[in-house]
Amino acid sequence: MFWQKSKPVGNEGMGLAEKVATEAEGFYRSKKMHCAEAVLLAVKNNFRPEVPDSVIEVAIGFGGGSGTGCLCGAVVGGTMAFGLVIPHDQKRVNKLTQELHHWFKSQYGAVCCRTVRANHKGICAELTGAVAGKVAELLS
């Protein structure tokens, strides 16, 4: 993984960031959702479980770099997750979004989906989990 694991919580002995990462990667690997949806759902499930799953539908157009190869959908899903978990605090959400972007770029060399996929073949499932884990870490 590309992020630091948090301290263990719960009976599983798994840290929250690791739990969120594993869940997001599993959602992506199920082929029932893309990166943005998977990150958003995993974060929602662990930070705002009372929010209906239907909120994930707002992420439908962001997979594969918004369908054009631009900004990585996992990063977009993470940015949406910040807003979901920390509503009404634009300053904090902006700060966390910047931290996520800087971290992602340092790990993958770019935040452009097309560039990342060209330089790291077959990485999307792992990357989806790593982004979700980093989002959880930043929120904790």
Side-chain angles (χ1 to χ4, degrees):
M1 293 280 163
F2 292 103
W3 45 272
Q4 298 270 332
K5 293 180 181 173
S6 60
K7 294 180 183 174
V9 295
N11 295 334
E12 305 121 18
M14 184 182 287
L16 180 59
E18 185 177 0
K19 182 177 185 279
V20 173
T22 300
E23 193 172 309
E25 186 172 335
F27 290 147
Y28 183 91
R29 287 187 187 280
S30 76
K31 299 186 191 253
K32 293 181 180 173
M33 58 184 58
H34 59 62
C35 50
E37 295 166 313
V39 170
L40 185 57
L41 182 59
V43 173
K44 181 211 80 73
N45 286 349
N46 289 277
F47 286 87
R48 295 287 309 274
E50 73 282 3
V51 173
D53 286 350
S54 61
V55 75
I56 305 313
E57 294 171 12
V58 302
I60 198 164
F62 292 103
S66 297
T68 64
C70 291
L71 181 60
C72 171
V75 174
V76 173
T79 301
M80 288 190 285
F82 291 142
L84 183 68
V85 176
I86 312 167
H88 314 295
D89 192 345
Q90 183 176 358
K91 186 175 181 178
R92 185 164 175 224
V93 169
N94 286 349
K95 182 180 183 294
L96 292 173
T97 298
Q98 289 174 358
E99 288 181 45
L100 179 63
H101 277 250
H102 291 300
W103 168 83
F104 189 91
K105 191 170 184 179
S106 75
Q107 297 300 315
Y108 303 102
V111 291
C112 172
C113 175
R114 188 179 318 114
T115 301
V116 171
R117 290 187 349 199
N119 294 331
H120 305 276
K121 302 284 187 210
I123 196 158
C124 291
E126 180 184 324
L127 179 150
T128 296
V131 170
K134 184 64 176 180
V135 168
E137 178 186 300
L138 289 169
L139 286 168
S140 295

